[in-house]
Amino acid sequence: MNQDEALKRYEETLEIPPRKLKRQIIVCPIGTVGSGKTSVIKPLSKKLSLLRISNDDIRKLLKENGCGYDSVRKLAYRLALKYIAKGFSIAIDGDCNSREAQRHMQELRRKYGIKVFWLHINPPEAFIIHKLKNYKHTWLFKDADEAIRNYYSSKATHENLNFPFVYVFDPSRDDLNKQIEEAATVIKKGIHSKQ
């Protein structure tokens, strides 16, 4: 199976929102491995009627089928473009902290007038390390040590961030549902603002 076939198979698993927003948006989280991006993006996507595109789900499918997954972001972006052209709003379930992701978001703003909402997924480091130590490692990392090394190797790229975050999540707190409600309210208000 090549990457195009894997992407097509992933596309068949997408949960298409029941309605489209009047103004298209894209939600982009920034967070390290283990920070809780999926814990935030999955329910937030449902609440806001966004099509969720998961980098990890694409990566897993590529790995299971013997494909390299260096181009996961490019494949996710191709899929996002396809559904944006169909009028859907998108939530990326993956770390958008890269120049490539920022360039893609600028292109979408220019070409489609899409409003981009940046979210910071930022729990304490102790929460991330505990989660990575106790997570059932199946495919992304061979074990906890590899996952923790990955976290520390990418940690510096998540310091001194310069994004216009509309909301900062702390998934270590026991009020994550409340945080999701608050973020959804902020995003709904922001959809119609001119800035």
Side-chain angles (χ1 to χ4, degrees), residues 4-186:
D4 287 339
E5 292 167 333
L7 189 61
K8 188 171 189 228
R9 187 174 292 177
Y10 171 68
E11 187 178 357
E12 292 167 358
T13 71
L14 288 176
E15 290 184 37
I16 306 299
R19 63 182 177 85
K20 298 176 184 176
L21 300 179
K22 288 182 182 176
R23 180 174 183 191
Q24 283 180 285
I25 67 168
I26 188 159
V27 171
C28 301
I30 305 287
T32 64
V33 63
S35 61
K37 294 180 293 293
T38 298
S39 298
V40 167
I41 294 300
K42 208 169 194 177
L44 189 62
S45 296
K46 288 184 178 177
K47 186 164 283 301
L48 293 172
S49 197
L50 307 176
L51 179 73
R52 183 178 74 95
I53 296 176
S54 169
N55 288 3
D56 277 351
D57 289 350
I58 295 170
R59 188 176 285 117
K60 182 178 183 190
L61 192 57
L62 291 171
K63 186 170 185 176
E64 286 172 349
N65 290 282
C67 301
Y69 50 80
D70 293 339
S71 60
V72 166
R73 283 188 176 131
K74 286 180 185 162
L75 293 172
Y77 183 62
R78 271 181 41 202
L79 203 53
L81 280 176
K82 178 177 180 177
Y83 283 89
I84 284 167
K86 293 180 177 190
F88 289 96
S89 292
I90 306 291
I92 302 297
D93 188 349
D95 185 20
C96 293
N97 184 24
S98 72
R99 287 189 178 146
E100 179 184 26
Q102 292 172 57
R103 190 179 71 250
H104 288 159
M105 296 313 113
Q106 288 170 352
E107 289 170 7
L108 292 173
R109 276 197 302 261
R110 240 185 350 264
K111 186 171 181 181
Y112 294 96
I114 286 183
K115 193 155 196 177
V116 178
F117 291 91
W118 298 94
L119 304 176
H120 194 190
I121 318 300
N122 192 31
E125 182 173 270
F127 170 83
I128 295 170
I129 299 301
H130 181 266
K131 180 178 171 183
L132 294 176
K133 277 184 181 174
N134 295 289
Y135 186 75
K136 184 179 174 188
H137 295 281
T138 53
W139 66 274
L140 185 56
F141 302 110
K142 67 179 180 183
D143 57 25
D145 290 339
E146 184 182 18
I148 292 167
R149 279 194 305 275
N150 180 280
Y151 165 74
Y152 281 120
S153 70
S154 66
K155 178 182 169 184
T157 64
H158 288 79
E159 295 173 353
N160 304 313
L161 296 170
N162 187 22
F163 289 86
F165 294 120
V166 297
Y167 198 86
V168 178
F169 285 90
D170 179 354
S172 74
R173 293 179 4 210
D174 60 5
D175 67 344
L176 186 57
N177 288 336
K178 181 181 176 210
Q179 293 177 62
I180 289 165
E181 289 287 342
E182 290 172 353
T185 299
V186 168

